[in-house]
Amino acid sequence: ELDFDVKRQKTFTLDDVEIDLGLELNVTFIDNQKDLMKGIQWLHFAPKYIGVDIETTGLDCHENDMVMFQFGDEHRQFVVDTRTVDISGILPYIVNSDNIVVGQNLKFEYKWMRSKYNTVLQGICDTMIQEKLLYNGSDFKYGLKDLAKRYLNYEADKETRLNFLTIGDRPFTKEEIIYGAYDIILPCLINIEQLKK
């Protein structure tokens, strides 16, 4: 177990979190505007496929708040506290014709990005839609937890997402930041396997 203080240690790695996916977790937590430059610098050299995910206080993009914005790939993840950081300056680096946004059930992110930032996701690669196309008519479940088990033999913990509903001003815990990072890692890895099919 790593002695972890979110405010003090912005970048952290863990070799063995939950179940080893053969990757080293490499997360940068961003809670102020200045640190957002770290993410912009990474995006200048980022791969074509960029994972995107958000965490919110509810399902309604007009009534509820976005509290976390995550982006990256299976090797590098950025978790942004949107309660203290305005992400509008980074969105053009992510949402452009050169990138493909990867995620699970991206219609959710699409609605929020459109409502809160007037940003339209362009090239998208939605692992839920891809799975439905691959197995149309099959009696499968298509949630991220189901796909992670099917493709990666990974038992994803999705209970942590409930913490965000009532988070208020409370700082994120290490577990919540790691949860955010895995919501980037898993769709990126699943997408690689789906594309083979």
Side-chain angles (χ1 to χ4, degrees), residues 55-147:
E55 302 303 333
T56 65
T57 59
L59 300 177
D60 189 326
C61 61
H62 304 293
E63 299 292 327
N64 300 120
D65 297 314
M66 182 190 303
V67 294
M68 183 184 281
F69 177 74
Q70 309 98 274
F71 66 97
D73 66 5
E74 64 272 24
H75 303 291
R76 188 80 171 91
Q77 307 83 41
F78 296 86
V79 175
V80 183
D81 185 341
T82 56
R83 298 170 300 176
T84 58
V85 178
D86 177 8
I87 62 167
S88 58
I90 200 168
L91 294 178
Y93 294 95
I94 296 172
V95 181
N96 60 56
S97 59
D98 295 331
N99 298 333
I100 296 177
V101 173
V102 177
Q104 172 77 8
N105 191 24
L106 283 172
K107 71 179 178 185
F108 185 75
E109 282 72 16
Y110 186 94
K111 287 191 302 185
W112 282 78
M113 304 285 259
R114 180 71 184 221
S115 171
K116 301 291 185 192
Y117 300 100
N118 198 28
T119 298
V120 176
L121 296 178
Q122 295 178 30
I124 65 169
C125 195
D126 189 322
T127 52
M128 178 184 277
I129 293 174
Q130 288 179 165
E131 194 72 357
K132 288 182 177 184
L133 290 171
L134 285 169
Y135 297 102
N136 188 27
S138 299
D139 188 21
F140 279 166
K141 293 183 178 178
Y142 299 103
L144 183 58
K145 184 173 184 171
D146 305 300
L147 272 62

Side-chain angles (χ1 to χ4, degrees), residues 2 39 46 71 93 146 151 153 195:
L2 186 66
F71 66 97
Y93 294 95
D146 305 300
Y151 284 99
N153 198 28
L195 290 178

Side-chain angles (χ1 to χ4, degrees), residues 41-63:
Q41 289 168 346
W42 178 82
L43 285 165
H44 281 297
F45 304 100
K48 184 174 183 68
Y49 292 92
I50 298 174
V52 168
D53 190 63
I54 63 172
E55 302 303 333
T56 65
T57 59
L59 300 177
D60 189 326
C61 61
H62 304 293
E63 299 292 327

